[in-house]
Amino acid sequence: MFPVHRPLIRWNARFDTGHAQIDAQHRELVNLLNRFAADVENTGSDHTRLFTAFRDALARHFKDEEEALRQLGIAPELLEAHAVHHGLSLELLDSLGQQLAKDPKEHSSAVLAEISHCMLVDLLDEDRHCFVVRSTRPGEVASLPVEPVLQVFKRLVDLLNEHHEQIVRARDYYTTLLDDFPAPVCRTDGSGRFDWFNRTWLNLTGMDLPQAESQGWTLALHGEDREPFFSRWRICFDRRAPFVMDYRLLDARGQYRWIHHVGRPFFDEEGAESGGFLGYISVCFDVTERRQAEANLRVSAEVFEHAEEAIMITDGHGWIEAVNPAFVKTTGYGADEVIGQSANLLRSGLHDESFYHGLWQSLMDNGSWQGEVMNRHKSGEIFPYWLSISTIRNTEGEVIRMVGVLTEMSPLRTSHRGLLHLAHHDALTDLPNRLLFDARAQHSLERCSREGSRLAILFLDLDNFKPVNDRLGHHAGDELLRDVAGRLRAALREEDTVARFGGDEFVILVERVGSAEDAGQVASKLLELFPVAMDGNEQRVAVTASIGISLYPDHGQELEALVDAADKAMYRAKEQGRNCFHVYSACL
Ligand SMILES: Nc1nc2c(ncn2[C@@H]2O[C@H](COP(=O)(O)OP(=O)(O)OP(=O)(O)O)[C@@H](O)[C@H]2O)c(=O)[nH]1
């Protein structure tokens, strides 16, 4: 490569024709050529502009030169030949100019070579011949500037060699790149004949190039996939359309692999519009594992959907991500109610923290846990289940999923379930009894403590219930208690718990209470359910209720303290004349 500051053609006195105008124009043309050469050399961005300047100056020069020659009295046929030569030179330059405009970098060296040749041979030499040789005396020979011309040609040859080397290097680079490309790649020619396969493709199939070439490789196609492959290939090939095909291909070990084959047509520089179709280049992806995984997934999805066992999938922290229809049936919760919730939602409150700690420890140590567990149905009822939990870990060993399978207990267990229900419910009203109330309330208190929210406990005692028994009989009293239970249950939200503690005492757990006023509003609503009247033995007795309210965390942290506070407040309501509510305060 020659240095940038050195002009491609240095003006030489021997270039002089002795014609002032012609020499001035030659100098300008040499100067423009040198600037163009420097821009090419420096991979500048001014190729097109400098080339156009050269071409325009040359056209002007040709015109002036023809006029000068005419004045010199040159023979008309020689003048004509000169003009034709000029025209051809300009035509050549215009076609070079078009190539340059398309891709200046690609064509600049070739253009430079052409116009250098034109400059040195057609202009400097030819013109000198016209103006100098014609004016020399017989026997005097004008000498050509051989040395500078040779130097320029040497530089041009170096330049061309260097470009050739770059092209060879680029070809080797892309061939290696495609050969070692991690996916199988193949190519067809314009007739659709497969004429090249990269090394990865050959390694996959165990074929060599001659075996694979043409349609030889299709012998490795699975019998069932051959016809669909060819018909699709024909359709796409006829339309010169891109194709995507999936088929099984016999690999080097004699096993079929699922191939996802993606191909694109490619065209010459003129492009698709001018019909310059050259063939297809295509890449194959081995998707065997993915297809197997998808098939396994479909089986798993079927099992998940149709299993009789309730299945729950959580993330690594126990947040529910998916449940199956059996889960919905077993627990009473709809999928949309539990997805995104903690699996703790199912806790009955009957197991202490050490039970869950042991479960968690086993999951972390052994990857699984199984055992009997008491879970709470959406209705609030508690049922025994056999629970199996397995963990799924990622490649780093982190638990990313947990799969819990809940199996309802055997018939023996089912009768146990009945007993369990009895143990947790009041036989007269079927409301939760104190045991179940305590379990739920404990659960709610833990949640409130976590969330920093509030709950209220309403202690409701009927006023003047004793006369009902006394006047109408115990049976009527029972009936009234059941009636009150039903009314209370219907008036409250499903998430609230109404329990009967015994006698005419009902205790209500009101979840998510914002303030004492909110709790007061609930109490007022309940008081509106009264008086509940009973008729019997030609007598009519009506009862009202008194309600005491305590709030977590305002009036206590522990359940016992809160129930006690609500009880005290209820007595204050009785003292205040009954049929009203009172909110606990420390002075009680
Ligand atoms: N029918 C019926 N009565 C019950 C039951 N359990 C308790 N009792 C009666 O309920 C009454 C409750 O007594 P109190 O609360 O002191 O009577 P009260 O008339 O409501 O008095 P105040 O609460 O002061 O208004 C007693 O007479 C109990 O015998 C039951 O299961 N069925």
Side-chain angles (χ1 to χ4, degrees):
M1 195 63 67
F2 45 88
V4 176
H5 57 272
R6 259 180 74 189
L8 180 67
I9 298 174
R10 199 189 291 280
W11 187 261
N12 188 304
R14 284 174 295 176
F15 292 152
D16 285 339
T17 62
H19 189 294
Q21 185 193 18
I22 297 300
D23 285 340
Q25 287 182 348
H26 280 174
R27 278 173 189 273
E28 186 200 351
L29 285 165
V30 166
N31 186 29
L32 284 170
L33 174 63
N34 284 339
R35 285 172 60 194
F36 177 72
D39 200 56
V40 170
E41 176 65 8
N42 292 329
T43 55
S45 56
D46 225 7
H47 299 359
T48 317
R49 190 183 65 75
L50 291 169
F51 176 84
T52 308
F54 178 83
R55 189 258 173 224
D56 292 347
L58 189 67
R60 278 196 307 277
H61 168 68
F62 282 159
K63 249 176 110 211
D64 294 345
E65 188 189 80
E66 285 161 26
E67 182 54 37
L69 286 172
R70 194 173 292 117
Q71 283 174 15
L72 265 179
I74 196 166
E77 61 275 13
L78 280 178
L79 196 61
E80 176 67 25
H82 227 79
V84 168
H85 188 199
H86 286 167
L88 289 172
S89 294
L90 286 177
E91 257 178 41
L92 173 69
L93 279 192
D94 287 342
S95 100
L96 291 174
Q98 279 168 10
Q99 286 179 27
L100 196 67
K102 251 193 215 157
D103 190 343
K105 285 208 166 41
E106 173 78 18
H107 299 292
S108 59
S109 300
V111 170
L112 177 60
E114 281 292 346
I115 62 174
S116 303
H117 181 273
C118 171
M119 187 74 224
L120 287 165
V121 180
D122 297 349
L123 271 172
L124 298 178
D125 183 26
E126 183 79 5
D127 291 355
R128 190 174 174 283
H129 192 72
C130 288
F131 290 95
V132 179
V133 178
R134 261 167 218 295
S135 58
T136 50
R137 286 187 297 278
E140 201 178 335
V141 178
S143 59
L144 275 172
V146 175
E147 189 50 36
V149 171
L150 284 179
Q151 275 180 16
V152 168
F153 272 109
K154 192 173 172 307
R155 284 177 208 152
L156 288 174
V157 168
D158 288 348
L159 208 60
L160 288 174
N161 279 341
E162 195 172 312
H163 275 266
H164 177 72
E165 274 170 31
Q166 279 174 3
I167 289 165
V168 170
R169 271 203 302 275
R171 191 197 61 200
D172 291 350
Y173 173 78
Y174 286 114
T175 308
T176 314
L177 197 72
L178 276 179
D179 249 341
D180 293 338
F181 193 66
V185 177
C186 48
R187 186 187 64 189
T188 77
D189 61 16
S191 69
R193 183 179 151 275
F194 282 82
D195 64 348
W196 183 80
F197 297 81
N198 73 343
R199 208 168 12 232
T200 316
W201 195 97
L202 297 172
N203 288 343
L204 172 76
T205 57
M207 292 188 187
D208 55 26
L209 208 50
Q211 281 176 302
E213 269 173 350
S214 191
Q215 303 296 46
W217 71 274
T218 57
L219 293 174
L221 278 172
H222 191 285
E224 290 171 17
D225 301 335
R226 204 166 288 157
E227 185 41 43
F229 171 85
F230 281 121
S231 65
R232 178 110 196 96
W233 166 241
R234 271 192 295 272
I235 292 170
C236 295
F237 180 79
D238 289 346
R239 295 181 189 158
R240 308 290 188 253
F243 67 80
V244 176
M245 285 187 267
D246 286 287
Y247 53 76
R248 282 157 289 180
L249 190 72
L250 204 60
D251 72 6
R253 291 172 305 160
Q255 285 169 355
Y256 280 105
R257 313 287 308 168
W258 270 105
I259 301 295
H260 182 67
H261 193 161
V262 182
R264 296 273 176 280
F266 64 101
F267 300 88
D268 63 15
E269 278 179 357
E270 304 303 316
E273 291 76 28
S274 60
F277 170 68
L278 295 179
Y280 275 88
I281 183 83
S282 55
V283 61
C284 304
F285 300 96
D286 184 342
V287 292
T288 313
E289 271 78 30
R290 197 188 76 196
R291 284 185 82 111
Q292 269 164 4
E294 281 169 3
N296 291 345
L297 218 60
R298 276 196 295 276
V299 172
S300 304
E302 283 290 307
V303 171
F304 183 74
E305 278 300 305
H306 299 111
E308 290 202 0
E309 289 82 9
I311 304 175
M312 165 177 72
I313 299 172
T314 72
D315 68 5
H317 303 285
W319 297 100
I320 300 173
E321 290 186 336
V323 294
N324 69 344
F327 177 96
V328 174
K329 201 168 140 206
T330 305
T331 64
Y333 286 106
D336 52 342
E337 290 176 292
V338 292
I339 289 173
Q341 300 285 330
S342 165
N344 291 348
L345 179 87
L346 299 177
R347 284 188 180 186
S348 61
L350 293 178
H351 300 289
D352 56 18
E353 275 310 310
S354 69
F355 171 84
Y356 293 108
H357 181 75
L359 182 157
W360 190 257
Q361 203 58 49
S362 168
L363 277 179
M364 293 304 116
D365 295 348
N366 314 322
S368 65
W369 180 89
Q370 53 179 317
E372 194 177 326
V373 67
M374 297 295 183
N375 272 354
R376 188 154 69 117
H377 189 272
K378 185 184 174 188
S379 66
E381 286 179 279
I382 294 174
F383 295 116
Y385 294 95
W386 186 260
L387 173 63
S388 304
I389 314 178
S390 313
T391 57
I392 299 171
R393 293 171 189 270
N394 62 14
T395 44
E396 279 79 45
E398 294 161 340
V399 175
I400 51 162
R401 296 274 183 292
M402 289 186 275
V403 181
V405 180
L406 281 169
T407 317
E408 291 198 53
M409 303 299 272
S410 62
L412 187 71
R413 289 289 183 184
T414 311
S415 67
H416 177 228
R417 183 191 291 179
L419 290 173
L420 208 79
H421 184 80
L422 282 179
H424 290 96
H425 291 81
D426 166 42
L428 178 68
T429 60
D430 206 36
L431 286 178
N433 61 12
R434 180 155 202 160
L435 190 64
L436 182 53
F437 175 88
D438 282 359
R440 286 194 194 169
Q442 203 58 52
H443 200 216
S444 299
L445 285 175
E446 282 163 19
R447 190 180 44 71
C448 286
S449 147
R450 270 198 314 276
E451 294 174 359
S453 56
R454 202 172 246 136
L455 64 73
I457 289 179
L458 274 56
F459 204 113
L460 182 151
D461 187 279
L462 300 182
D463 301 328
N464 305 314
F465 176 62
K466 198 165 171 296
V468 178
N469 279 333
D470 292 348
R471 292 191 211 156
L472 306 179
H474 209 265
H475 185 70
D478 284 354
E479 190 53 38
L480 186 134
L481 288 172
R482 270 197 291 268
D483 186 24
V484 168
R487 287 168 189 244
L488 291 175
R489 186 58 275 166
L492 288 158
R493 292 174 300 181
E494 205 170 331
E495 67 198 82
D496 300 331
T497 299
V498 187
R500 181 178 174 230
F501 271 24
D504 57 355
E505 291 175 348
F506 296 87
V507 181
I508 298 140
L509 176 70
V510 186
E511 308 261 7
R512 294 188 175 83
V513 170
S515 63
E517 284 71 36
D518 292 347
Q521 276 179 10
V522 177
S524 300
K525 190 169 83 174
L526 296 182
L527 289 176
E528 281 170 19
L529 303 172
F530 296 88
V532 177
M534 290 299 293
D535 295 316
N537 302 330
E538 294 172 359
Q539 294 193 61
R540 190 157 205 272
V541 183
V543 293
T544 55
S546 300
I547 301 173
I549 301 172
S550 68
L551 293 160
Y552 171 87
D554 314 57
H555 305 134
Q557 299 288 322
E558 304 298 329
L559 179 61
E560 206 180 326
L562 288 163
V563 172
D564 198 41
D567 190 21
K568 283 199 175 83
M570 185 273 292
Y571 276 107
R572 175 52 62 94
K574 295 255 184 208
E575 283 164 19
Q576 286 171 344
R578 294 182 166 80
N579 194 22
C580 63
F581 70 85
H582 189 85
V583 180
Y584 176 79
S585 63
C587 59
L588 287 178

mmCIF file of all heavy atoms in Angstrom, residues 35-55:
data_model
loop_
_atom_site.group_PDB
_atom_site.id
_atom_site.type_symbol
_atom_site.label_atom_id
_atom_site.label_comp_id
_atom_site.label_asym_id
_atom_site.label_seq_id
_atom_site.Cartn_x
_atom_site.Cartn_y
_atom_site.Cartn_z
ATOM 1 N N ARG A 35 -6.528 13.120 -6.066
ATOM 2 C CA ARG A 35 -7.429 13.295 -4.901
ATOM 3 C C ARG A 35 -8.378 12.102 -4.772
ATOM 4 O O ARG A 35 -8.655 11.615 -3.678
ATOM 5 C CB ARG A 35 -8.222 14.599 -5.047
ATOM 6 C CG ARG A 35 -7.314 15.791 -4.737
ATOM 7 C CD ARG A 35 -7.979 17.096 -5.040
ATOM 8 N NE ARG A 35 -9.186 17.281 -4.269
ATOM 9 C CZ ARG A 35 -10.099 18.202 -4.537
ATOM 10 N NH1 ARG A 35 -9.912 19.029 -5.537
ATOM 11 N NH2 ARG A 35 -11.170 18.316 -3.795
ATOM 12 N N PHE A 36 -8.843 11.634 -5.931
ATOM 13 C CA PHE A 36 -9.722 10.453 -5.902
ATOM 14 C C PHE A 36 -8.954 9.242 -5.343
ATOM 15 O O PHE A 36 -9.438 8.508 -4.477
ATOM 16 C CB PHE A 36 -10.239 10.170 -7.318
ATOM 17 C CG PHE A 36 -11.090 8.931 -7.402
ATOM 18 C CD1 PHE A 36 -12.379 8.912 -6.856
ATOM 19 C CD2 PHE A 36 -10.626 7.769 -7.996
ATOM 20 C CE1 PHE A 36 -13.176 7.779 -6.932
ATOM 21 C CE2 PHE A 36 -11.413 6.625 -8.058
ATOM 22 C CZ PHE A 36 -12.694 6.640 -7.523
ATOM 23 N N ALA A 37 -7.664 9.075 -5.830
ATOM 24 C CA ALA A 37 -6.840 7.948 -5.380
ATOM 25 C C ALA A 37 -6.608 8.020 -3.868
ATOM 26 O O ALA A 37 -6.682 7.006 -3.159
ATOM 27 C CB ALA A 37 -5.509 7.950 -6.129
ATOM 28 N N ALA A 38 -6.356 9.238 -3.360
ATOM 29 C CA ALA A 38 -6.109 9.393 -1.912
ATOM 30 C C ALA A 38 -7.358 9.024 -1.121
ATOM 31 O O ALA A 38 -7.282 8.370 -0.074
ATOM 32 C CB ALA A 38 -5.693 10.832 -1.618
ATOM 33 N N ASP A 39 -8.524 9.384 -1.650
ATOM 34 C CA ASP A 39 -9.786 9.072 -0.945
ATOM 35 C C ASP A 39 -10.028 7.560 -0.917
ATOM 36 O O ASP A 39 -10.455 7.005 0.089
ATOM 37 C CB ASP A 39 -10.940 9.790 -1.653
ATOM 38 C CG ASP A 39 -12.156 9.911 -0.736
ATOM 39 O OD1 ASP A 39 -11.997 10.477 0.365
ATOM 40 O OD2 ASP A 39 -13.232 9.410 -1.106
ATOM 41 N N VAL A 40 -9.699 6.912 -2.061
ATOM 42 C CA VAL A 40 -9.850 5.449 -2.117
ATOM 43 C C VAL A 40 -8.884 4.815 -1.129
ATOM 44 O O VAL A 40 -9.236 3.936 -0.346
ATOM 45 C CB VAL A 40 -9.568 4.933 -3.539
ATOM 46 C CG1 VAL A 40 -9.479 3.399 -3.566
ATOM 47 C CG2 VAL A 40 -10.643 5.415 -4.506
ATOM 48 N N GLU A 41 -7.652 5.321 -1.142
ATOM 49 C CA GLU A 41 -6.611 4.765 -0.276
ATOM 50 C C GLU A 41 -6.981 4.903 1.196
ATOM 51 O O GLU A 41 -6.776 4.011 1.999
ATOM 52 C CB GLU A 41 -5.293 5.495 -0.592
ATOM 53 C CG GLU A 41 -4.119 5.101 0.281
ATOM 54 C CD GLU A 41 -3.732 3.665 0.054
ATOM 55 O OE1 GLU A 41 -4.270 3.016 -0.873
ATOM 56 O OE2 GLU A 41 -2.933 3.161 0.819
ATOM 57 N N ASN A 42 -7.552 6.057 1.513
ATOM 58 C CA ASN A 42 -7.893 6.319 2.924
ATOM 59 C C ASN A 42 -9.277 5.809 3.275
ATOM 60 O O ASN A 42 -9.806 6.157 4.328
ATOM 61 C CB ASN A 42 -7.839 7.823 3.211
ATOM 62 C CG ASN A 42 -6.436 8.332 3.128
ATOM 63 O OD1 ASN A 42 -5.502 7.594 3.423
ATOM 64 N ND2 ASN A 42 -6.276 9.564 2.695
ATOM 65 N N THR A 43 -9.860 5.018 2.390
ATOM 66 C CA THR A 43 -11.247 4.570 2.525
ATOM 67 C C THR A 43 -12.137 5.724 2.987
ATOM 68 O O THR A 43 -12.906 5.631 3.943
ATOM 69 C CB THR A 43 -11.397 3.347 3.471
ATOM 70 O OG1 THR A 43 -10.808 3.694 4.719
ATOM 71 C CG2 THR A 43 -10.769 2.110 2.915
ATOM 72 N N GLY A 44 -11.981 6.833 2.283
ATOM 73 C CA GLY A 44 -12.782 8.024 2.578
ATOM 74 C C GLY A 44 -14.199 7.871 2.071
ATOM 75 O O GLY A 44 -14.572 6.824 1.541
ATOM 76 N N SER A 45 -14.983 8.930 2.212
ATOM 77 C CA SER A 45 -16.399 8.826 1.859
ATOM 78 C C SER A 45 -16.748 9.742 0.688
ATOM 79 O O SER A 45 -17.907 10.014 0.430
ATOM 80 C CB SER A 45 -17.234 9.209 3.081
ATOM 81 O OG SER A 45 -16.834 10.489 3.494
ATOM 82 N N ASP A 46 -15.672 10.236 -0.003
ATOM 83 C CA ASP A 46 -15.923 11.253 -1.015
ATOM 84 C C ASP A 46 -15.736 10.710 -2.433
ATOM 85 O O ASP A 46 -15.641 11.480 -3.382
ATOM 86 C CB ASP A 46 -14.907 12.407 -0.781
ATOM 87 C CG ASP A 46 -15.601 13.742 -0.862
ATOM 88 O OD1 ASP A 46 -16.843 13.738 -0.961
ATOM 89 O OD2 ASP A 46 -14.902 14.768 -0.847
ATOM 90 N N HIS A 47 -15.718 9.340 -2.564
ATOM 91 C CA HIS A 47 -15.402 8.744 -3.859
ATOM 92 C C HIS A 47 -16.270 9.300 -4.980
ATOM 93 O O HIS A 47 -15.783 9.734 -6.021
ATOM 94 C CB HIS A 47 -15.648 7.229 -3.853
ATOM 95 C CG HIS A 47 -14.819 6.485 -2.852
ATOM 96 N ND1 HIS A 47 -13.894 7.063 -2.019
ATOM 97 C CD2 HIS A 47 -14.778 5.154 -2.583
ATOM 98 C CE1 HIS A 47 -13.344 6.151 -1.279
ATOM 99 N NE2 HIS A 47 -13.872 4.986 -1.578
ATOM 100 N N THR A 48 -17.563 9.273 -4.779
ATOM 101 C CA THR A 48 -18.494 9.590 -5.867
ATOM 102 C C THR A 48 -18.329 11.034 -6.328
ATOM 103 O O THR A 48 -18.283 11.327 -7.525
ATOM 104 C CB THR A 48 -19.929 9.335 -5.389
ATOM 105 O OG1 THR A 48 -19.937 8.114 -4.686
ATOM 106 C CG2 THR A 48 -20.891 9.243 -6.538
ATOM 107 N N ARG A 49 -18.214 11.933 -5.353
ATOM 108 C CA ARG A 49 -18.104 13.354 -5.708
ATOM 109 C C ARG A 49 -16.816 13.612 -6.497
ATOM 110 O O ARG A 49 -16.827 14.269 -7.547
ATOM 111 C CB ARG A 49 -18.116 14.217 -4.433
ATOM 112 C CG ARG A 49 -18.255 15.704 -4.711
ATOM 113 C CD ARG A 49 -18.196 16.493 -3.422
ATOM 114 N NE ARG A 49 -16.912 16.415 -2.748
ATOM 115 C CZ ARG A 49 -15.817 17.059 -3.132
ATOM 116 N NH1 ARG A 49 -15.847 17.837 -4.201
ATOM 117 N NH2 ARG A 49 -14.693 16.934 -2.469
ATOM 118 N N LEU A 50 -15.682 13.044 -6.012
ATOM 119 C CA LEU A 50 -14.397 13.274 -6.677
ATOM 120 C C LEU A 50 -14.378 12.641 -8.064
ATOM 121 O O LEU A 50 -13.831 13.203 -9.022
ATOM 122 C CB LEU A 50 -13.261 12.699 -5.814
ATOM 123 C CG LEU A 50 -13.041 13.484 -4.514
ATOM 124 C CD1 LEU A 50 -12.116 12.727 -3.579
ATOM 125 C CD2 LEU A 50 -12.472 14.867 -4.816
ATOM 126 N N PHE A 51 -15.033 11.468 -8.161
ATOM 127 C CA PHE A 51 -15.092 10.803 -9.460
ATOM 128 C C PHE A 51 -15.871 11.671 -10.462
ATOM 129 O O PHE A 51 -15.466 11.864 -11.596
ATOM 130 C CB PHE A 51 -15.748 9.426 -9.320
ATOM 131 C CG PHE A 51 -15.937 8.726 -10.637
ATOM 132 C CD1 PHE A 51 -14.900 7.999 -11.204
ATOM 133 C CD2 PHE A 51 -17.127 8.821 -11.330
ATOM 134 C CE1 PHE A 51 -15.065 7.374 -12.421
ATOM 135 C CE2 PHE A 51 -17.297 8.203 -12.559
ATOM 136 C CZ PHE A 51 -16.261 7.469 -13.103
ATOM 137 N N THR A 52 -17.002 12.204 -9.997
ATOM 138 C CA THR A 52 -17.838 13.032 -10.888
ATOM 139 C C THR A 52 -17.065 14.274 -11.340
ATOM 140 O O THR A 52 -17.129 14.684 -12.509
ATOM 141 C CB THR A 52 -19.119 13.450 -10.145
ATOM 142 O OG1 THR A 52 -19.709 12.271 -9.608
ATOM 143 C CG2 THR A 52 -20.113 14.112 -11.067
ATOM 144 N N ALA A 53 -16.290 14.858 -10.397
ATOM 145 C CA ALA A 53 -15.507 16.045 -10.745
ATOM 146 C C ALA A 53 -14.494 15.703 -11.844
ATOM 147 O O ALA A 53 -14.312 16.456 -12.813
ATOM 148 C CB ALA A 53 -14.788 16.576 -9.509
ATOM 149 N N PHE A 54 -13.880 14.504 -11.680
ATOM 150 C CA PHE A 54 -12.904 14.061 -12.679
ATOM 151 C C PHE A 54 -13.570 13.866 -14.037
ATOM 152 O O PHE A 54 -13.105 14.330 -15.068
ATOM 153 C CB PHE A 54 -12.249 12.744 -12.216
ATOM 154 C CG PHE A 54 -11.265 12.179 -13.217
ATOM 155 C CD1 PHE A 54 -9.955 12.644 -13.259
ATOM 156 C CD2 PHE A 54 -11.650 11.201 -14.128
ATOM 157 C CE1 PHE A 54 -9.059 12.143 -14.190
ATOM 158 C CE2 PHE A 54 -10.764 10.699 -15.052
ATOM 159 C CZ PHE A 54 -9.448 11.171 -15.091
ATOM 160 N N ARG A 55 -14.728 13.195 -14.005
ATOM 161 C CA ARG A 55 -15.435 12.869 -15.255
ATOM 162 C C ARG A 55 -15.861 14.153 -15.974
ATOM 163 O O ARG A 55 -15.709 14.285 -17.192
ATOM 164 C CB ARG A 55 -16.656 12.005 -14.906
ATOM 165 C CG ARG A 55 -17.373 11.414 -16.076
ATOM 166 C CD ARG A 55 -18.632 12.209 -16.354
ATOM 167 N NE ARG A 55 -19.279 11.769 -17.568
ATOM 168 C CZ ARG A 55 -19.757 12.588 -18.480
ATOM 169 N NH1 ARG A 55 -19.631 13.909 -18.334
ATOM 170 N NH2 ARG A 55 -20.361 12.125 -19.540
#
